[in-house]
Amino acid sequence: MLQTNRKGKWFEAIVPNEWEGFNLEDVFRKIWEAPKKLTYTFRIENKVLLNSNTPNWNMPLVHGDKIMISLFEETSGEAPPTFYDVPILYEDDHLIVFNKPAFMSTHPNNIEVDKDTLLNAAIYHLQAKGESRNIRHVHRLDRDTTGAILFAKHPLAGAILDRMLELRKIKRTYIAIVNGLLPSKKGIIHEPIGRDRHHATKRRVSLTGQDAITHYQVLKEDKKQKLTYVKCWLETGRTHQIRVHFSHIGHPLAGDLLYGGGAFFNRQALHAAKLEFVHPLTGEKIICHAPFIDNPQIFKGIDVYQL
């Protein structure tokens, strides 16, 4: 794990043995895989120091060198703050993981109109702590889906996490309740997903769609109601992926009226129960479990801490 400190607006990282011989450009572009444009911005705006001095970005680093990066400057949020008491699963100077409730959008479609989203609540939370940041989500959850969702507090963390998501280095585990009893206790649904040309917000399995892979494992069966509780994890993150895939194999999510799931619950039975990743700047292993927060409870007899 990288040794780091915060000093005011500056993030300090101590060069470890494995970075020796790399230069600053290598750290940003090869180790962190930050975008070229963002790296250039840090360089041209003199937002990086080496041992408290303006650095030569091409000079090899030495174990124990102190890299200072201006990460914590005050910036205004892109949406107005709105108070909502949203549970927090993890937070530090770089990122925050919320346990999103049902019936809350991840972000506004129209900043002037939509003021009750998770982004509005996140901005309020930070301002209440005296932090003014342009926070943004790294991935999304549907409005009616609950559970763990990751936000980045500054552009460098956001860029690294975006790349990690692209490389499938952020593991998201979901719990779903599907209609019917599945013929197999575990499996993989590998079907491309595209837009449904007959419905503006709906998706469907389509030969011309984007590649999509969903793994699943049966946790328990409710034979009386003919429902199956499944654990799902994704190799891709397409819009409505779990909902589309299970509908496609004839087992739509319970409560998912859009995809034929029937009115078992007041929303589709889908919860982002676990989030796992390596911290983008410290290297620490982060595991967040998201307890169920529905009232009345939808997912009964499932312990998210055992996933």
Side-chain angles (χ1 to χ4, degrees), residues 169-207:
K169 293 182 178 180
I170 299 177
K171 184 177 180 181
R172 294 168 286 167
T173 303
Y174 295 81
I175 301 297
I177 304 175
V178 304
N179 283 264
L181 305 179
L182 296 172
S184 301
K185 297 300 182 183
K186 61 180 179 179
I188 301 173
I189 308 171
H190 189 177
E191 298 286 353
I193 293 175
R195 290 184 177 274
D196 187 327
R197 62 179 181 272
H198 303 296
H199 195 293
T201 60
K202 197 174 181 180
R203 299 296 191 272
R204 65 184 181 90
V205 166
S206 168
L207 292 176

Side-chain angles (χ1 to χ4, degrees), residues 1-2 15-22 31 63:
M1 195 169 79
L2 192 63
V15 173
N17 283 319
E18 55 267 32
W19 287 12
E20 191 158 355
F22 287 94
I31 295 175
H63 174 246

Side-chain angles (χ1 to χ4, degrees), residues 73-119:
E73 297 175 345
E74 289 199 357
T75 56
S76 58
E78 68 173 38
T82 306
F83 172 72
Y84 284 96
D85 188 14
V86 181
I88 294 170
L89 305 176
Y90 177 86
E91 182 179 12
D92 63 19
D93 291 326
H94 309 282
L95 54 91
I96 185 168
V97 180
F98 291 99
N99 190 4
K100 189 184 86 64
F103 316 117
M104 173 180 273
S105 298
T106 299
H107 63 94
N109 289 321
N110 185 320
I111 293 175
E112 300 299 324
V113 176
D114 303 328
K115 299 182 180 180
D116 57 354
T117 73
L118 185 55
L119 178 62

Side-chain angles (χ1 to χ4, degrees), residues 35-198:
K36 185 175 182 179
K37 183 177 179 180
L38 181 62
T39 302
Y40 177 79
T41 298
F42 277 107
R43 184 171 184 169
I44 202 69
E45 294 183 1
N46 297 316
K47 291 185 175 182
V48 180
L49 301 177
L50 183 62
N51 299 322
S52 301
N53 298 311
T54 302
N56 179 341
W57 278 65
N58 297 312
M59 182 178 293
L61 298 170
V62 177
H63 174 246
D65 278 347
K66 295 181 179 180
I67 301 172
M68 304 278 286
I69 310 171
S70 179
L71 293 182
F72 309 119
E73 297 175 345
E74 289 199 357
T75 56
S76 58
E78 68 173 38
T82 306
F83 172 72
Y84 284 96
D85 188 14
V86 181
I88 294 170
L89 305 176
Y90 177 86
E91 182 179 12
D92 63 19
D93 291 326
H94 309 282
L95 54 91
I96 185 168
V97 180
F98 291 99
N99 190 4
K100 189 184 86 64
F103 316 117
M104 173 180 273
S105 298
T106 299
H107 63 94
N109 289 321
N110 185 320
I111 293 175
E112 300 299 324
V113 176
D114 303 328
K115 299 182 180 180
D116 57 354
T117 73
L118 185 55
L119 178 62
N120 298 95
I123 292 172
Y124 183 98
H125 168 75
L126 293 184
Q127 290 190 6
K129 295 176 57 181
E131 298 182 35
S132 183
R133 306 281 188 83
N134 192 12
I135 190 171
R136 70 170 182 84
H137 61 277
V138 175
H139 60 103
R140 304 179 187 184
L141 292 177
D142 294 340
R143 181 179 181 273
D144 293 351
T145 300
T146 55
I149 182 169
L150 175 61
F151 280 70
K153 287 188 175 184
H154 56 75
L156 181 58
I160 299 171
L161 289 166
D162 284 346
R163 181 61 175 161
M164 290 170 62
L165 191 68
E166 180 184 344
L167 296 175
R168 302 173 185 175
K169 293 182 178 180
I170 299 177
K171 184 177 180 181
R172 294 168 286 167
T173 303
Y174 295 81
I175 301 297
I177 304 175
V178 304
N179 283 264
L181 305 179
L182 296 172
S184 301
K185 297 300 182 183
K186 61 180 179 179
I188 301 173
I189 308 171
H190 189 177
E191 298 286 353
I193 293 175
R195 290 184 177 274
D196 187 327
R197 62 179 181 272
H198 303 296

Side-chain angles (χ1 to χ4, degrees), residues 278-299:
V278 173
H279 194 287
L281 290 164
T282 70
E284 177 185 5
K285 177 69 175 179
I286 306 293
I287 301 177
C288 296
H289 295 86
F292 301 119
I293 54 179
D294 285 291
N295 188 15
Q297 187 175 346
I298 291 177
F299 301 91

